[in-house]
Amino acid sequence: MSDHYETLGVSRDASADDIKKAYRKLARKMHPDVAGAEAADAFKEVTAAYEVLSNPDKRAQYDMGGSGFSSMGGGSFGFSDIFETFFSAASGPAGPTPRGRRGQDILTTLDISLQEAAFGAVKDITIDAAALCPRCEGSCCEPGSSPETCEDCHGRGSVQRMARSFLGQVMTTAPCQACGGHGTIIPKPCTECAGDGRVRSRRTLKVDVPAGVENGTRIRLSGRGEVGPGGGAAGDLYVEIRELPHPVLQRRGDDLHTRLRIPMTAAALGTQFSLETLDGTRDVKVEAGSQPNHVIKLKDLGVGHLQRAGRGDLLVHLDIEIPQDLDERQKELLKEFADLRGETPKDDQDQHTSVFSKLKEKMTGN
């Protein structure tokens, strides 16, 4: 016969609390519902040891060499200890479950123009979502009636039943089937929402779009989502921004970019042109001698910064057009121009030397 102290893993001078804690730990681990049927014998042995050591008289007799009258049936150990050990954590809810629950969040998209992204805007959106029932206002009851206490659980939301186990009968607790754990029943459900406390509704909301939002930005509207069952609190509404492309301007962060094609002569002599921006028409000056891909910066004509004051810039990239399909007179004039600048090559070698010289001048400044 094994030693009861060794079975529980405690010393011979262990206190009653130490013995009880040791038993609970082992019992939870060895219970057949957890460890399987093969653990039944070990569980019975642990239980027998606890039955003896938890009773002061039986423990004293056991310490003197007696058996302690271990019988799995008497003494201070009984079904209340078993119930406390195995069913305290699974005894069901401490009280009735509220009928109202939080509603779901909603995600929708909103198309905006580049102009609206740059300066901000107030936009209307229409959503179809669950809203508070206007007839019962979330009570789930037909007006003039009210919830009644469940007769099966008497308002507790749970019921207790006896269950058989190899240890005997134990008490279990489970949600009440009649009321669904709410503790009350709805005798006359609302005819508008069928007792759900909410109805489907289409509504239009205003969304404040801040300046600087980007494609994919999500704006959260707290409490503007689905109303929950039983008139529960509404979830949140998330509005995802979708920025529509602009026909001329391209956005990169808070800066705007555009390309302008100008004739070679305009780049060489300089010119001025009008450009349509988000702020209206602006005059843009091209300095004489501007090169291909030269960038003209127009400050503060870009997109507003999202989290700070100010705006990005508008950058104009120059594309220089080289003339094609020249007539004879145009060719003569270009050749004359090249002669005046000393840029007319006489043969292939001169052309190679001329090009190399020009590159060297640009690199060395000589």
Side-chain angles (χ1 to χ4, degrees):
M1 181 176 178
S2 61
D3 182 80
H4 289 335
Y5 290 101
E6 292 182 0
T7 300
L8 294 181
V10 296
S11 63
R12 290 191 169 272
D13 58 353
S15 66
D17 286 341
D18 291 338
I19 291 173
K20 189 173 184 178
K21 290 178 181 178
Y23 167 69
R24 286 185 174 182
K25 181 178 180 181
L26 291 172
R28 287 193 180 96
K29 180 179 179 181
M30 297 179 178
H31 191 277
D33 290 345
V34 177
E38 61 273 12
D41 291 340
F43 178 74
K44 289 179 181 180
E45 186 176 350
V46 167
T47 304
Y50 178 66
E51 183 183 358
V52 172
L53 299 184
S54 64
N55 186 301
D57 293 336
K58 292 183 178 181
R59 180 179 180 181
Q61 186 171 355
Y62 179 77
D63 290 342
M64 291 168 48
S67 66
F69 304 103
S70 177
S71 62
M72 288 289 292
S76 63
F77 175 77
F79 291 126
S80 61
D81 293 311
I82 298 176
F83 178 82
E84 182 182 3
T85 300
F86 298 109
F87 298 102
S88 58
S91 59
T97 302
R99 197 175 295 276
R101 302 194 304 276
R102 184 183 185 276
Q104 292 184 336
D105 295 337
I106 299 175
L107 174 63
T108 188
T109 58
L110 175 63
D111 291 341
I112 65 171
S113 66
L114 178 59
Q115 180 115 6
E116 291 167 333
F119 301 112
V122 177
K123 302 281 288 183
D124 289 337
I125 60 169
T126 300
I127 60 172
D128 290 308
L132 194 68
C133 175
R135 183 173 178 81
C136 70
E137 297 182 341
S139 71
C140 305
C141 299
E142 186 69 9
S145 65
S146 59
E148 296 181 357
T149 301
C150 176
E151 295 181 355
D152 285 21
C153 67
H154 305 288
R156 293 190 300 268
S158 59
V159 292
Q160 292 182 334
R161 295 185 176 87
M162 296 297 295
R164 295 181 61 85
S165 76
F166 75 96
L167 294 174
Q169 293 198 358
V170 293
M171 189 73 71
T172 63
T173 303
C176 177
Q177 299 270 334
C179 65
H182 300 303
T184 59
I185 60 173
I186 307 295
K188 294 182 179 180
C190 173
T191 55
E192 179 78 12
C193 64
D196 190 42
R198 57 182 184 166
V199 293
R200 301 300 298 181
S201 175
R202 172 171 289 188
R203 50 198 166 112
T204 299
L205 305 173
K206 291 190 178 297
V207 179
D208 187 7
V209 180
V213 294
E214 295 186 77
N215 197 50
T217 299
R218 288 188 178 182
I219 301 173
R220 177 188 176 190
L221 301 181
S222 180
R224 307 307 293 271
E226 296 258 2
V227 168
D236 298 332
L237 171 62
Y238 292 88
V239 181
E240 185 171 297
I241 297 299
R242 186 166 59 188
E243 184 181 306
L244 301 176
H246 191 275
V248 176
L249 303 175
Q250 293 181 342
R251 179 179 178 180
R252 301 177 195 168
D254 291 339
D255 292 333
L256 298 177
H257 297 255
T258 189
R259 303 198 72 86
L260 177 68
R261 295 179 65 85
I262 61 174
M264 176 186 68
T265 51
L269 300 175
T271 187
Q272 182 171 298
F273 63 93
S274 296
L275 177 67
E276 286 297 324
T277 72
L278 297 179
D279 297 77
T281 303
R282 292 289 188 273
D283 291 331
V284 180
K285 182 178 181 181
V286 178
E287 298 290 343
S290 293
Q291 300 298 307
N293 294 318
H294 176 69
V295 178
I296 302 173
K297 179 186 290 187
L298 305 180
K299 290 188 64 63
D300 300 326
L301 292 183
V303 176
H305 301 310
L306 183 59
Q307 296 181 340
R308 66 182 190 277
R311 296 170 59 184
D313 302 323
L314 172 57
L315 304 175
V316 182
H317 301 258
L318 296 182
D319 289 334
I320 310 300
E321 291 183 336
I322 304 300
Q324 298 179 353
D325 302 325
L326 300 175
D327 59 27
E328 290 302 320
R329 177 55 179 161
Q330 292 169 340
K331 291 180 181 179
E332 290 176 2
L333 291 174
L334 281 179
K335 288 179 180 179
E336 183 178 347
F337 175 75
D339 289 339
L340 291 173
R341 291 181 58 83
E343 297 174 347
T344 304
K346 297 180 180 179
D347 52 34
D348 290 343
Q349 182 62 33
D350 288 343
Q351 183 176 6
H352 174 77
T353 303
S354 176
V355 171
F356 181 78
S357 298
K358 294 294 183 183
L359 288 175
K360 182 178 179 182
E361 289 175 4
K362 288 186 177 181
M363 294 176 64
T364 63
N366 299 324

